[in-house]
Amino acid sequence: MEIRPARPEDAPLVVPLFIQAMDDIASTLAGSEQPHEVQAFMTTFFQLPGNRLSYQNTLVAEEDQQVVGVLILYHGNQAAALDQPIIARLRELKNDPNITLDKEAEEDEWYIDTLSVSPRYGGRGIGTALLRAAEEHTSSGGPTKIALLVDKNSQRAYRLYQHLNYQQDAVVQISHHPYLHMTKNLGGV
């Protein structure tokens, strides 16, 4: 298995994994519940620089020359700026200048926005490998904190994160659904 930075041309293989992981959040970001509209939105924003869904923030895991897993990662102090293009699109689409997005990342942490593995490749350590690659990327600058959200009902994912020393420190609401905020200190913090 190889883990590498995503490229814009990865969109057809990456976007379905984004949607699989994000579920209702994908519809919120797209401003639509229509699958083809969600797919089109995700594809467009993945291929564009400067937003939270961009290929620039994405790592992919490849096996057998196929993308089998993805992880979106960015620093929390960039989250507001990365959300701006999506908010601007939603405000225009819905003709509502007051639309905002729920805050997911804290200013003092690296944030794993999305982690998704193809169901056909589950149980092979791909998610763990992507998490370790993200941790390696974030810890290169010294002591830091990395965080993620996990669906309150996803016990399998929760156990994986606990096994990798992530600790729950809060419960947050995203798109009217509770998520557990979990963090891990890296580099001696």
Side-chain angles (χ1 to χ4, degrees):
M1 172 181 39
E2 175 192 0
I3 296 178
R4 63 167 174 80
R7 300 182 290 257
E9 59 269 21
D10 292 326
L13 300 171
V14 168
V15 168
L17 293 173
F18 283 1
I19 294 169
Q20 168 187 288
M22 291 181 196
D23 198 26
D24 290 345
I25 295 172
S27 295
T28 298
L29 294 174
S32 173
E33 293 187 18
Q34 299 300 315
H36 68 281
E37 291 178 4
V38 174
Q39 177 94 17
F41 161 79
M42 291 289 203
T43 298
T44 298
F45 276 78
F46 173 75
Q47 293 176 324
L48 291 173
N51 72 87
R52 77 191 297 188
L53 303 172
S54 175
Y55 69 92
Q56 294 174 316
N57 305 319
T58 305
L59 296 174
V60 298
E62 278 187 329
E63 194 167 290
D64 304 326
Q65 298 179 340
Q66 292 189 35
V67 173
V68 297
V70 296
L71 183 142
I72 299 175
L73 175 72
Y74 48 85
H75 199 278
N77 65 11
Q78 298 172 328
L82 292 172
D83 278 348
Q84 274 314 117
I86 296 169
I87 292 169
R89 180 192 170 276
L90 284 169
R91 287 176 176 174
E92 184 177 326
L93 180 70
K94 301 292 185 179
N95 196 26
D96 181 351
N98 299 313
I99 288 178
T100 61
L101 293 175
D102 294 326
K103 182 179 178 182
E104 294 183 36
E106 296 300 323
E107 295 281 324
D108 66 340
E109 66 192 19
W110 281 92
Y111 180 63
I112 297 172
D113 181 294
T114 302
L115 172 63
S116 184
V117 175
S118 170
R120 291 185 12 202
Y121 288 83
R124 298 186 191 183
I126 295 167
T128 299
L130 282 163
L131 286 166
R132 295 220 188 278
E135 291 170 9
E136 186 176 304
H137 174 78
T138 62
S139 66
S140 62
T144 192
K145 179 170 65 169
I146 191 167
L148 52 82
L149 296 179
V150 61
D151 187 316
K152 195 173 181 179
N153 299 318
S154 183
Q155 288 302 307
R156 184 174 179 212
Y158 182 77
R159 284 191 304 273
L160 169 65
Y161 301 140
Q162 275 190 313
H163 176 73
L164 296 173
N165 298 317
Y166 286 80
Q167 310 230 332
Q168 178 188 342
D169 62 358
V171 177
V172 297
Q173 296 285 325
I174 306 293
S175 296
H176 309 291
H177 186 81
Y179 288 86
L180 306 177
H181 184 266
M182 300 182 78
T183 61
K184 180 177 181 178
N185 289 322
L186 303 171
V189 172

